[in-house]
């Protein structure tokens, strides 16, 4: 099963993507996580992406298409994958279609996480993430430890107010057209009300997949 998770920053794509991946027994592929690991390890990819990410801008499509192809072609993704934030522009949606066709596979569904902007700002202003495994937390101080892996919790640079405003602007301008693209290309697109407890949202996701 190949699923695309779409939605604005802070909508819960990472949180629910992880839980869904566990339930379905397939990996979650998140371009944001891949890029942050590259920045942390100071690889050429990380050096190229860092400035754009810190500002809350998108990194270039060709960089994302390279990550996407590598990840989809890996043995871990042979049974399927949850694609978290992997598609944010129309050229990326087209590139994913081409990459899947080359692998003899196709997209099973697109889940659009819907959350009002004021709730997104509230979530991101209180978020810390584990530096090692990227698990997000709400209401936990930087410097405390991750429950999952013991890593240190940090604030993301792009969760500063100016970068959050920029990410939301970019979402509405660059990513929102992807929704229409999927609709007009016959994808199975479900809009998930992503306000509620984590279990309520996951239940809605599961119902939409039945
Ligand atoms: P990325 O890391 O993907 O950032 P994002 O899309 O902005 O999404 P977030 O990680 O901020 O939010 P999320 O929806 O995963 O929410 P989360 O589960 O954490 O990308 C970072 C950057 O990388 C981009 O800005 C760009 O520069 C670059 N990039 C990545 N992919 C790219 C691409 N394809 N093209 C170009 N550039 C790309 O939840 C948020 C918070 O809310 C957490 O604290 C969580 O605990 C909490 N929460 C979750 N669910 C709930 C709930 N139901 N109720 C209350 N709180 C909740």
């Amino acid at each position: 099963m190949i699923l695309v998770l779409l939605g604005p920053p802070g909508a819960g794509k990472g949180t629910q993507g992880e839980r869904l991946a566990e339930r379905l027994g397939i990996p979650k592929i998140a371009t944001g996580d891949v890029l942050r690991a590259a920045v942390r390890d100071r690889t050429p990819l990380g050096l190229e992406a860092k400035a754009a990410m810190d500002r809350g801008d998108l990194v270039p499509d060709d960089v994302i298409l390279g990550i996407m192809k590598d990840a989809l072609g890996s043995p871990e993704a042979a049974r399927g994958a949850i694609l978290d934030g992997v598609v944010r522009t129309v050229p990326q949606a087209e590139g994913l279609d081409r990459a899947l066709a080359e692998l003899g596979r196709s997209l099973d569904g697109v889940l659009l996480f819907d959350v009002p902007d004021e709730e997104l700002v509230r979530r991101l202003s209180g978020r810390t993430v584990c530096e090692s495994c990227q698990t997000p937390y709400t209401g936990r101080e930087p410097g405390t430890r991750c429950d999952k892996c013991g890593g240190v919790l940090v604030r993301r640079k792009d969760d500063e107010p100016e970068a959050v405003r920029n990410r939301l602007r970019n979402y509405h301008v660059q990513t929102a057209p992807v929704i229409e693209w999927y609709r007009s290309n016959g994808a199975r697109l479900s809009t998930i009300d992503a306000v509620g407890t984590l279990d309520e949202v996951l239940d809605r996701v599961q119902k939409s997949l039945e």
Side-chain angles (χ1 to χ4, degrees), residues 26-45:
I26 54 178
K28 182 190 77 156
I29 296 167
T31 31
D33 291 351
V34 173
L35 292 166
R36 271 185 297 281
V39 169
R40 191 192 53 216
D41 298 340
R42 295 193 169 82
T43 66
L45 169 64

Side-chain angles (χ1 to χ4, degrees), residues 10 12-15 31 36 57 85-86 88 92 127 138 167 196:
K13 305 180 295 295
T15 303
T31 31
R36 271 185 297 281
D57 284 334
V86 173
R88 295 181 202 228
Q92 291 177 15
R127 174 170 70 174
T138 302
R167 286 159 70 200

Side-chain angles (χ1 to χ4, degrees), residues 4-5 7 10 27 48 70 77 88 104 106 115 118 130 142 154 173 189 206:
V4 163
L5 306 191
E48 183 181 351
D70 286 353
R88 295 181 202 228
S106 60
V115 176
E118 58 275 17
C130 174
V154 295
V173 173
L189 186 137
Q206 283 227 289

Side-chain angles (χ1 to χ4, degrees), residues 7 11-12 27-28 46 53 58 67 72 78 80 92 100 110 113 131 133 137 139 151-152 157 168-170 178 190:
K28 182 190 77 156
M53 292 178 76
L58 296 185
I67 298 174
L72 286 170
Q92 291 177 15
L100 288 174
V110 179
F113 284 66
E131 204 172 28
C133 73
Y137 291 90
V152 179
K157 265 223 172 91
L168 282 172
R169 228 176 0 246
N170 289 336
V178 174
S190 313

Side-chain angles (χ1 to χ4, degrees), residues 189-208:
L189 186 137
S190 313
T191 301
I192 310 293
D193 171 7
V195 178
T197 66
L198 299 190
D199 286 342
E200 282 167 349
V201 176
L202 186 60
D203 281 349
R204 289 173 201 148
V205 167
Q206 283 227 289
K207 285 214 176 77
S208 80

